[in-house]
Structures are given as structure tokens and as C-alpha cells.
Amino acid sequence: FSGDTAGSRVVHLINIWRADQTFARLVLSERMGALVARLAGWRSGARVAQDQVWAKPPGAPPLVFHRDSPYFFFETDEPADAPDVMTVWVALDDMAPELGPLEYVAGSHVWEDGRAGSAAAFFQREPRELLLAAAARAGVAEAQLRLVSLQGLMAGDIAVHHGRCWHGSGPNASSSRPRRGFGIHYVPATARFAPAAARSRVWRPYIEA
């Protein structure tokens, strides 16, 4: 880090397990997959759909509040009330408050689906715009939102969240410390591509392979 925070941007890497053995051991961990399946109640087990690293260098902007599920175009034979996506989030740095730790919106996993996901949404100027619109549709006022911060997590600690849970994070206000996190997205073991996946730049290559 050069010490200059002007123009600092979020770094986003997908499927880093293919390039690093340490990440690969975690992503391919049977123990982790079994834990996720048990928490989700998936009878078929769990499989990894994708991993992502989000790195916010000092001065980097916030990440917009969003859900994970709209970005994963899969169908499953699991019960309708079961999660369609589960995410394990791994802290790669100690989550001090000034770093902009991840925040969950308690109870938001039961709100209606709303709009589909778009990668551009992560970097909108107003980080809570989509969240507040979704809350309004669910009849929840802004003052009623209860945010649960991952502040205090230490490097190596994990959090597991429902794919429909709204979450986001503030800017990295530190002048010298990065904020890095690693997400592993799981789907039920019986998941298969939905028709919409053929129109996705992320998933279409896997269908055509």
C-alpha cells in the first residue's frame, strides 16, 4: 500500500481456490460443506457454486447492501422454504470498526425476492438504496431495521448467512489497514442450472462447457 488513499477501489476476485492451495483446502473442505448443509437443512448435502474475495484497501468505498441469492441461477428439489444459497464469510483481517465490517439486516431473509442481481449494483453511489426499497416493499420502515455488525471478528473467524439475507459494508476509513474477506457460496447438492443461467455472463460458460 502506497499510503495514498485517493481513488482507492475495492478489489474483487472470483474462484481464487483455483490459484491458491490454502484457499482450495478451505473451499473443498467436506467438513465445511457438511456444516452448511446441516445449517440450511439441505437433505441432499451442499456443493460449492463459487468463491469470492472482497478486499477494501484503506480509503475504499462501501459495498452496497444486497442479497446473494439473486446472483445464483439454480433450481433445486429441496423444500420451497429451504435456503437456495448459503454463504460462509471468512474474515481475513481483524474486523475493527473503522475498516467497514460486514453488516447483516436481521430478519431480511423472509422479505420478498424483489429485483434480480447485477454486478453493477455493488458499486452504486447510495449503498442503502436497494435495501430501503426492499424494506419498504416488506412494510419495514428504515427506523425498524436492525443491523448486526461483524465488528469484532478476528482473522480466521467465520460467519454463515442465508442467501436472502440483506448485507453490506461501510467504507474502509483506516489510513493504513486493509479489510479483506473471503466468501464461499454453497447451493444444495442437487442444484441444477435454471434457464436464466444461459443469459448470465458468469454462469453461461459453465453451461456451454
Side-chain angles (χ1 to χ4, degrees), residues 10-18 23 26-27 48-55 63 66-72 85-92 118-119 122-123 161 167 179-186 202-203 206:
V10 176
V11 178
H12 181 211
L13 304 173
I14 296 178
N15 287 337
I16 197 172
W17 73 271
R18 297 187 177 192
F23 282 108
L26 181 58
V27 171
V48 173
Q50 187 185 74
D51 73 55
Q52 301 186 55
V53 169
W54 292 94
L63 285 177
H66 63 282
R67 281 173 159 175
D68 295 337
S69 291
Y71 299 88
F72 294 85
V85 175
M86 291 283 284
T87 298
V88 172
W89 193 86
V90 185
L92 301 181
S118 166
F122 287 112
F123 305 104
H161 64 261
H167 58 284
R179 195 233 74 170
R180 294 165 293 187
F182 178 56
I184 311 172
H185 304 293
Y186 294 84
V202 173
W203 303 113
Y206 296 96

Side-chain angles (χ1 to χ4, degrees), residues 133-145:
R137 290 193 299 270
V140 179
E142 182 175 4
Q144 296 175 303
L145 296 176

Side-chain angles (χ1 to χ4, degrees), residues 40-115:
W42 291 336
R43 298 172 300 188
S44 61
R47 65 191 299 183
V48 173
Q50 187 185 74
D51 73 55
Q52 301 186 55
V53 169
W54 292 94
K56 283 195 281 188
L63 285 177
V64 71
F65 276 80
H66 63 282
R67 281 173 159 175
D68 295 337
S69 291
Y71 299 88
F72 294 85
F73 301 107
F74 293 93
E75 297 175 340
T76 177
D77 297 325
E78 296 290 337
D81 59 348
D84 50 355
V85 175
M86 291 283 284
T87 298
V88 172
W89 193 86
V90 185
L92 301 181
D93 296 291
D94 296 345
M95 290 295 112
E98 65 270 18
L99 300 186
L102 194 66
E103 294 180 307
Y104 296 133
V105 182
S108 60
H109 64 289
V110 300
W111 299 354
E112 66 178 58
D113 287 344
R115 65 190 293 278

Side-chain angles (χ1 to χ4, degrees), residues 136-158:
R137 290 193 299 270
V140 179
E142 182 175 4
Q144 296 175 303
L145 296 176
R146 185 166 66 89
L147 299 182
V148 179
S149 174
L150 296 191
Q151 173 183 331
L153 258 68
M154 306 300 288
D157 289 348
I158 71 170

